[in-house]
Amino acid sequence: MLSITSIPIDRDPLSSFVFRREFKENAVCMAFVKAALFSLGLAVLLSLPSEAHSEITASEGACDGASSAIDVHVHGLRSDRGYVMFVLYGDKPKDFLVKGKKIFKQRFAANQGTVEFCVILPKPGIYAATAYHDENGNGKFDKNWTGLPVEGFGMSNNPTTLLTPPSHDQAAFTLSHGPTRVDIEIKY
C-alpha cells in the first residue's frame, strides 16, 4: 500500500519575503556581471589592431606577381643618405595626411635616383600614398620655420603642389588583383 507523507510548508511570510528579495538581488547582480563582461569583451576587441593593418607587409625590390600588391617606384632622390619613408592611407578622404590616420608606414634605405619596393595588402581597394626623403635619418618630415618642407617629398599620381597639399582624390589610386605600379616623383 502506498502511503502519502505530508511535507510541511513554511507559511512564514517573512521567510518568503527574504527569499524573494535575495532572488531579486541575485538577478540584479547577475545582470551587472553580464553587462560588465560584455563591456570588457567589447573593449578588448576594439583595442586589437584591425586585420587590414596587421596584414600589410613590404619588402625591397619589385613585386613578384603577388595579388593585391603595390609595386612602388620612388624617383628623383638626390642622394643615398638617410631613408625613403613610405606612408599609405586608405579610402577615407578625411584621413589623408592626418597624423595617426595612416594604415601603413615603413622606411627603406635611400639610393640616389630610384628606390623600388613592394607593399602587399590584404585586399583590393582605394589607397593614397606619400613618400619623403628623410635625408638626416631622424624619422621626421622636417620643415622650416614657415612650415615648408626642407626634405624632398612626393605622392601617388604626382599631383601639383603649390601652396596647399593635394586632396585624397588627387593622390588616390585603385588597387585591383595583381600588382599595381605606383610611381612617386620626389620634389625638393
Side-chain angles (χ1 to χ4, degrees):
M1 180 174 220
L2 210 55
S3 96
I4 300 176
T5 316
S6 67
I7 301 172
I9 298 176
D10 188 9
R11 302 243 183 233
D12 180 10
L14 183 60
S15 66
S16 177
F17 171 77
V18 170
F19 174 77
R20 276 188 257 141
R21 189 183 77 205
E22 286 178 359
F23 181 79
K24 286 181 183 178
E25 287 174 357
N26 284 341
V28 169
C29 184
M30 288 304 294
F32 176 77
V33 169
K34 286 180 184 178
L37 288 173
F38 175 78
S39 298
L40 179 63
L42 184 61
V44 168
L45 284 175
L46 291 175
S47 69
L48 295 174
S50 74
E51 286 185 47
H53 297 263
S54 62
E55 292 181 16
I56 300 174
T57 60
S59 61
E60 291 184 4
C63 296
D64 294 329
S67 65
S68 300
I70 307 169
D71 191 10
V72 183
H73 296 252
V74 180
H75 306 281
L77 297 166
R78 67 180 175 192
S79 74
D80 60 357
R81 291 180 305 201
Y83 302 97
V84 170
M85 301 296 286
F86 176 77
V87 183
L88 186 66
Y89 296 89
D91 61 352
K92 296 178 184 164
K94 65 181 175 141
D95 292 349
F96 186 57
L97 302 177
V98 175
K99 187 173 183 158
K101 297 293 186 172
K102 65 188 172 297
I103 62 170
F104 182 73
K105 181 177 181 178
Q106 186 160 332
R107 70 181 189 179
F108 299 90
N111 290 320
Q112 186 172 1
T114 302
V115 172
E116 296 178 22
F117 49 91
C118 182
V119 180
I120 300 172
L121 294 137
K123 62 183 181 180
I126 296 173
Y127 299 92
T130 65
Y132 64 92
H133 186 186
D134 181 19
E135 283 186 282
N136 61 8
N138 68 354
K140 298 176 184 175
F141 182 47
D142 296 325
K143 299 174 186 169
N144 64 18
W145 64 274
T146 62
L148 295 174
V150 295
E151 295 181 309
F153 68 96
M155 296 180 194
S156 47
N157 297 334
N158 299 304
T160 304
T161 57
L162 285 175
L163 298 175
T164 60
S167 68
H168 181 269
D169 288 342
Q170 292 173 306
F173 60 91
T174 301
L175 175 68
S176 56
H177 293 286
T180 298
R181 182 168 171 149
V182 172
D183 290 286
I184 298 175
E185 188 69 34
I186 298 294
K187 308 266 197 249
Y188 291 90

